[in-house]
Amino acid sequence: ENQLTESGGGSVQAGGSLRLSCTASGSTFDDSDMGWYRQAPGNECELVSTIRADGTTDYADSVKGRFTISQDNAKKTMYLQMNSLKPEDAADYYCAAVSPRLRIDLVCYWGQGTQVTVSS
């Protein structure tokens, strides 16, 4: 079973940057569409960014132009570079596969996550 571990969260001031990492314990991401999700208190779990198996990427409108998703298959690690952070970006961030068969709410429910705090 391939387990994913998120890291890199922390506390920053608005305008600051963080880089999140997601490391796979087993196989690489080669043939999977992968994504970063987040959930803030009182909010639903949302898909923030996707990187497909072919390398193409997508972003939620709220983070477009500020966040960059990437992956290093040799290191079995996926990244989310977050720049120009805003207080509304504060949330627990999770990595998981992206699939129409996957319930998004369960990603945030079962994942370990890494916490991002942004102060104004």
Side-chain angles (χ1 to χ4, degrees):
E1 182 179 338
N2 197 20
Q3 289 190 319
L4 303 174
T5 302
E6 304 93 345
S7 63
S11 296
V12 297
Q13 290 190 328
S17 298
L18 284 173
R19 188 176 79 158
L20 306 184
S21 299
C22 169
T23 303
S25 64
S27 61
T28 66
F29 307 122
D30 281 346
D31 58 353
S32 301
D33 296 347
M34 298 296 298
W36 284 97
Y37 301 77
R38 69 183 181 187
Q39 186 171 31
N43 289 1
E44 295 182 348
C45 186
E46 63 172 336
L47 177 61
V48 173
S49 182
T50 302
I51 184 165
R52 299 186 188 84
D54 65 3
T56 57
T57 58
D58 275 330
Y59 299 91
D61 288 342
S62 58
V63 306
K64 203 170 292 184
R66 300 186 296 119
F67 289 11
T68 303
I69 190 171
S70 62
Q71 65 186 42
D72 184 334
N73 285 322
K75 295 182 179 179
K76 297 189 290 186
T77 301
M78 180 174 66
Y79 303 98
L80 186 68
Q81 178 66 43
M82 305 187 297
N83 298 329
S84 302
L85 282 161
K86 303 177 180 180
E88 52 263 42
D89 294 318
D92 291 329
Y93 284 72
Y94 306 85
C95 61
V98 175
S99 167
R101 297 185 300 273
L102 183 64
R103 281 179 51 182
I104 291 178
D105 60 325
L106 294 183
V107 171
C108 295
Y109 183 80
W110 289 112
Q112 171 190 324
T114 187
Q115 188 174 59
V116 172
T117 304
V118 184
S119 56
S120 57

